[in-house]
Amino acid sequence: LEPIKGKGNGPAKLFKVKGTNARIGFITAISEHFCDSCNRLRLTSDGKLRLCLMRDDEIDLKSIIRGDNPEKLREAIRIALERKSMVNGIEALKSIGCDRKMFTIGG
């Protein structure tokens, strides 16, 4: 494998498979935290906005969306982004074993 210089669109370390056009990425969530550079929010199939795969911190957007109040939705997303900025690797490591596993949120 040959390392690909620069950053991709997420936390994976990218490599090119020699002699091909294939690329592969490794996410080293446990051994090398990337929380400070994570730019992901996930919307679960049941309408929750999940801030981190390794924490059970979620915001229920479904009820807000059904309330048809765009300002309230904007405010909920703003609050989510503020809460997301407080996530760090140590917290994430302590919370491994979240109640919701990745396959239950569509990951």
Side-chain angles (χ1 to χ4, degrees):
L1 297 176
E2 298 173 347
I4 296 174
K5 293 186 173 150
K7 278 201 143 222
N9 292 326
K13 292 181 180 181
L14 300 175
F15 297 85
K16 182 178 186 288
V17 180
K18 287 183 182 178
T20 73
N21 288 328
R23 297 183 328 158
I24 186 169
F26 296 98
I27 299 175
T28 54
I30 304 301
S31 60
E32 297 177 43
H33 308 299
F34 56 86
C35 297
D36 60 336
S37 64
C38 179
N39 60 359
R40 305 292 190 212
L41 296 172
R42 290 156 182 92
L43 185 60
T44 66
S45 59
D46 59 351
K48 307 276 191 314
L49 187 62
R50 191 169 181 95
L51 308 181
C52 175
L53 283 177
M54 300 181 78
R55 292 179 46 180
D56 284 323
D57 195 5
E58 297 176 338
I59 296 172
D60 183 9
L61 292 185
K62 182 169 76 172
S63 61
I64 297 171
I65 291 168
R66 289 188 172 169
D68 195 29
N69 184 338
E71 188 52 44
K72 191 172 180 182
L73 179 61
R74 236 184 320 278
E75 179 65 11
I77 293 171
R78 185 190 64 73
I79 290 168
L81 292 171
E82 284 179 1
R83 281 175 36 191
K84 171 121 179 110
S85 70
M86 294 185 288
V87 173
N88 68 48
I90 294 169
E91 283 183 85
L93 263 181
K94 287 180 183 176
S95 67
I96 291 175
C98 300
D99 291 336
R100 289 184 76 166
K101 304 298 182 207
M102 194 181 304
F103 70 88
T104 68
I105 65 168

